[in-house]
Structure formats: C-alpha cells, structure tokens
Amino acid sequence: MIKLRDILLEKKLRVFDFDDTLVKSNSKVFLVRNGKRKEMTPGEFAIYTQKPGDKFDFSEFDRVIEPKQIKAMFKVFKNIYKASGSRRLTILTARAAYRPVRQFLKDVGYTDVFVVALGDSNPQKKADWIEGQIKKGYNDILFLDDSPKNVRVVKQLKRKYPKIKMDARVVRYD
C-alpha cells in the first residue's frame, strides 16, 4: 500500500544522456592508436572497450553538429517535461561543454532543463553524480542512456541504496 506520507516525501530525478539517447548528431569521437586516427560515432564509442595506449579526441563535442531529435525518446522527454508534479529533469552528458546542449534545448523550446557536462566518458562519473543526487535527497530516479556500460554502473547504486526507487535503462532506437 502506498502511503500519502511516502508520496509527499518523494523527490524525483529524471536523467537523460544527450548523444544517441535524445539526439543524433554528427559529432565524432576520434580514436588514436599506434599513430593512426579512427573516427567513431557516439554509439560506437558507447560500446567500445578501451585498449592500452588508446587516446581519444572529443573536440567535436564542443558544439552540437547537425542535431536530429530521436523521436521516440524526445517524446518521453517532452512528456516528463510537461508532467505535473515535482521533478528535476536533467541532461547528464560526458561532453565537456554544457552550453551547446543547453542552447540546443532552448532552440527547440526547453528553457529550464538542468544540463550537467562531466567532461569525462568514464561510466563511474555518471554513477558518482547520481549518487551525489541521492545524498541530496532524491529518492525516485529514472536514468536513460544509450551506453550499456553507463547503465550497468548506475544500476549498481541500487544495491548500495536499496530504499531508493531507481530505474536505469539502456535506450535503443532504430
């Protein structure tokens, strides 16, 4: 049975990744190995297993290049944005610069979405940020990301915080 007290104490956080979750862009990650440079999409990078000596160039992520909304996920985003009740809607991206993401959202009509740019593609960084939000009192969390590695690490928080309502999902689109 759901108690009114529990509903009133809910502090909801809705977290979306940006690249290949909400938006498909032409920003590329460049892998440099043994002096050779290889181009990767964010989706390819999301499932890539790093090897010793790999270096990455994320310079194209200082802007949003030719963005295209991923319709199914943008519909979910829009529904959460417009939903009644109290919740914090956040874009949590590995990009180093938050301004291009915030500008894109403003350009498509979403002016008050919180954007966090971690500047790091290590999945643990996303989990650490979410854990910080749990420590601030958020107890109902939805995390959507195209990277299975990111989702796996975030799901591990459920073991550490069993009383937190947490749903972390890998987003796939066609």
Side-chain angles (χ1 to χ4, degrees), residues 64-163:
V64 178
I65 300 173
E66 300 171 5
K68 292 176 187 71
Q69 294 178 18
I70 297 170
K71 288 185 173 97
M73 285 313 301
F74 234 92
K75 184 176 181 180
V76 172
F77 178 84
K78 184 171 113 179
N79 288 340
I80 290 172
Y81 183 86
K82 291 183 172 186
S84 62
S86 176
R87 67 189 46 77
R88 183 159 140 213
L89 182 55
T90 302
I91 303 298
L92 182 61
T93 179
R95 288 173 176 254
Y98 73 91
R99 281 191 174 102
V101 174
R102 181 172 288 157
Q103 188 60 53
F104 168 80
L105 292 168
K106 273 178 135 176
D107 291 347
V108 296
Y110 300 95
T111 57
D112 56 352
V113 176
F114 192 58
V115 178
V116 176
L118 296 172
D120 196 320
S121 61
N122 179 344
Q124 189 59 50
K125 298 297 182 183
K126 286 192 176 184
D128 292 346
W129 185 87
I130 290 172
E131 183 172 24
Q133 301 310 298
I134 291 169
K135 290 177 179 178
K136 289 179 180 177
Y138 286 95
N139 56 15
D140 182 341
I141 299 168
L142 172 63
F143 175 70
L144 302 169
D145 197 307
D146 67 298
S147 169
K149 293 181 276 188
N150 292 344
V151 171
R152 191 173 5 297
V153 174
V154 169
K155 278 184 173 181
Q156 291 172 0
L157 290 171
K158 185 67 179 160
R159 282 188 234 130
K160 189 171 182 181
Y161 300 97
K163 292 183 179 181

